[in-house]
Amino acid sequence: MKSWIVMTLGWTLALPLQVAAQSVIPSDLPPAELARAAIEQEPSVVRARYALDAAGHAGRRIAASPYEWTVGVDGQRRRYDTGGDSNEWAARIERPIRIGGKAELDQSLGDATERIARAELAEARHEAARALADLWIDWLAAIQARDLAREQLGFAESSVSAVAGRRRAGDASLLDLNAAQADAAEARRQFDATQVQETKASLRLRSRFPSLVMEPPRSLSEPVDLEWDEAQWRERVLVESDTLRIMQESLRRAELTAERARADRIPDPTVGVYTASEARRSERIVGVSVSIPLGGTYRRETMQEALKQVDVTRAELERQRKEIELATVEVVNDARAAPGRWRLAEQSTQIAKENARLGQRGYSLGEGDLQSLLLLRRQSVAAASASLSARVEALKARNRLLVDAHLIWGLADE
């Protein structure tokens, strides 16, 4: 009854996330098929995939044990005092045998080794997905920053035209014209800088994900509020955490290693059969041999070390769990507050942009002074930059939650 209640609560918690996952995937991220293809070819994922193949061989090696058959042959010549010699020989084959359930423990250890490698591959994909989401948004933000800088450059050049017109009418000084031209030159410099930043962002993305088809949407999407509360996000991220899965499997392997060391306090016997020919081939010998090493301090200390390693791994698991919980809470709080900050910044941007437009229009009609116009333009630039930064901050926080919760790009299917 208790297990049924726990299962029901789990489904109640997970179902809204699973159902809504299809509708919350941001439209400005690459589609799943393109993202998955790029992630699978990311260098760290390729390395982890090879490591998984190696772990499969390691697991089978552990399950098989290092024990092998040993074949021995002895030959000798015996001289009798009564005269004559006897050519004699002996042959044997022997092998240590695992007892006390050690074979089953080795099989479990091999399976645990492979499970750890599989979880590490999933973690590599998770980290690659997080990097892809961040680098993609950085690239789109660089494109939008370039567009904003181009718009401001056009505004500054229009101001130069307005000042030149007033100077021809005798209503502006050469100093005003020089100031407007200097402001336009600074706008040109900022535009060139944004072009460089866009190129750098593109190169970073292509360098990490060379196979990714880079087709940007028209613009960055608008930040939206989180649909779920902090407890739901925290629970989902913990359940889907590949880091915790690695540590859980590592703890299981440490426990199995301790059990194996405890079982190894009873040494494995070496069992063999032998045959020999002696006394001028008049004697035929067939027998069975058994040898058992005598365990001592080495085996006891090995077991104690393995037991302590279990405590170390358990403590590390708990430490990482707390770190993930804290990091998730911080990201949830950022993602919850960021859309509000962006809305305020966007409101300020629209006001500053309208003020700059009105100021330029008024200046063209002979109203106002140049310094006020330049100040309005700089305020517009600062507000647009702040709005873009707030938008990027909000999108990155939300995307990180989606990646950590394995709600996009099929990460939950691993």
Side-chain angles (χ1 to χ4, degrees):
M1 180 66 180
K2 182 179 179 181
S3 61
W4 181 85
I5 294 175
V6 172
M7 184 180 299
T8 302
L9 290 174
W11 276 104
T12 303
L13 177 65
L15 188 57
L17 298 177
Q18 293 286 5
V19 171
Q22 300 300 323
S23 61
V24 299
I25 297 177
S27 60
D28 49 10
L29 287 180
E33 59 275 11
L34 295 181
R36 290 291 300 187
I39 289 171
E40 287 302 315
Q41 297 182 45
E42 198 271 337
S44 63
V45 176
V46 174
R47 185 205 65 81
R49 196 158 49 243
Y50 285 134
L52 175 58
D53 294 338
H57 294 291
R60 290 187 288 274
R61 171 183 57 80
I62 294 171
S65 91
Y67 294 163
E68 295 179 332
W69 289 101
T70 300
V71 178
V73 178
D74 300 324
Q76 66 183 19
R77 179 187 294 272
R78 180 177 298 178
R79 177 171 295 178
Y80 291 94
D81 293 339
T82 57
D85 297 334
S86 173
N87 294 325
E88 302 175 350
W89 57 267
R92 64 187 179 278
I93 181 171
E94 59 187 10
R95 184 184 189 278
I97 297 176
R98 290 175 291 179
I99 61 174
K102 295 175 186 175
E104 291 77 7
L105 287 172
D106 288 341
Q107 180 65 57
S108 298
L109 277 169
D111 294 342
T113 299
E114 189 168 359
R115 287 196 302 271
I116 290 173
R118 196 174 301 279
E120 288 173 344
L121 173 58
E123 174 64 9
R125 289 184 177 127
H126 169 255
E127 291 299 326
R130 181 185 293 178
L132 174 57
D134 283 348
L135 291 173
W136 184 269
I137 293 298
D138 287 341
W139 175 52
L140 297 186
I143 294 175
Q144 191 155 333
R146 180 206 62 194
D147 294 340
L148 290 173
R150 181 187 289 114
E151 180 182 339
Q152 289 297 327
L153 175 59
F155 187 90
E157 290 175 342
S158 297
S159 297
V160 172
S161 299
V163 174
R166 287 185 59 168
R167 177 168 170 74
R168 285 191 297 271
D171 194 26
S173 66
L174 178 60
L175 181 62
D176 287 343
L177 181 59
N178 289 340
Q181 290 175 339
D183 184 66
E186 173 61 19
R188 167 64 66 179
R189 185 197 67 79
Q190 292 177 352
F191 175 65
D192 291 344
T194 58
Q195 287 183 307
V196 173
Q197 291 302 318
E198 179 195 351
T199 301
K200 289 182 177 179
S202 176
L203 287 175
R204 283 193 292 269
L205 183 57
R206 287 189 181 278
S207 176
R208 186 77 179 269
F209 302 96
S211 65
L212 183 64
V213 178
M214 296 173 60
E215 297 181 356
R218 294 182 179 179
S219 63
L220 290 169
S221 61
E222 293 188 358
V224 296
D225 295 326
L226 295 180
E227 296 88 344
W228 312 294
D229 59 28
E230 178 184 303
Q232 286 178 305
W233 282 112
R234 185 173 66 251
E235 181 67 21
R236 172 74 186 199
V237 170
L238 288 175
V239 168
E240 295 293 335
S241 173
D242 298 307
T243 299
L244 289 185
R245 189 172 296 116
I246 292 171
M247 289 308 306
Q248 289 164 352
E249 294 295 345
S250 297
L251 175 60
R252 178 55 182 157
R253 184 171 64 178
E255 292 171 343
L256 289 169
T257 301
E259 292 181 30
R260 184 63 169 83
R262 182 182 290 108
D264 211 33
R265 291 292 305 277
I266 301 176
D268 293 330
T270 299
V271 179
V273 295
Y274 64 90
T275 182
S277 174
E278 297 182 357
R280 299 189 180 96
R281 292 182 294 180
S282 63
E283 296 181 1
R284 296 289 187 178
I285 303 173
V286 176
V288 176
S289 65
V290 178
S291 60
I292 303 177
L294 300 178
T297 303
Y298 177 84
R299 293 175 185 269
R300 183 176 63 254
E301 294 303 323
T302 298
M303 182 190 70
Q304 293 299 327
E305 178 192 6
L307 290 173
K308 293 303 179 183
Q309 286 298 328
V310 172
D311 296 335
V312 170
T313 308
R314 185 177 291 111
E316 177 64 14
L317 171 61
E318 187 60 26
R319 184 190 70 82
Q320 293 201 12
R321 186 190 304 277
K322 291 183 179 300
E323 283 192 358
I324 292 173
E325 284 184 347
L326 177 59
T328 301
V329 169
E330 290 177 347
V331 175
V332 168
N333 288 330
D334 288 340
R336 179 178 292 129
R341 291 195 295 267
W342 168 76
R343 294 187 187 99
L344 291 174
E346 185 67 14
Q347 181 180 1
S348 175
T349 298
Q350 296 303 322
I351 295 174
K353 185 176 180 180
E354 179 65 12
N355 289 341
R357 188 188 66 81
L358 293 175
Q360 187 177 67
R361 180 182 178 184
Y363 185 84
S364 300
L365 296 175
E367 301 175 359
D369 60 273
L370 178 63
Q371 294 304 319
S372 297
L373 176 61
L374 296 182
L375 177 60
L376 289 173
R377 193 191 76 79
R378 295 189 184 103
Q379 289 176 340
S380 177
V381 171
S385 177
S387 176
L388 179 58
S389 297
R391 183 192 294 258
V392 170
E393 177 188 353
L395 293 178
K396 280 190 171 182
R398 180 177 178 80
N399 290 343
R400 179 171 180 178
L401 275 179
L402 294 176
V403 171
D404 289 349
H406 290 184
L407 289 175
I408 60 174
W409 294 336
L411 294 174
D413 298 335
E414 299 168 1

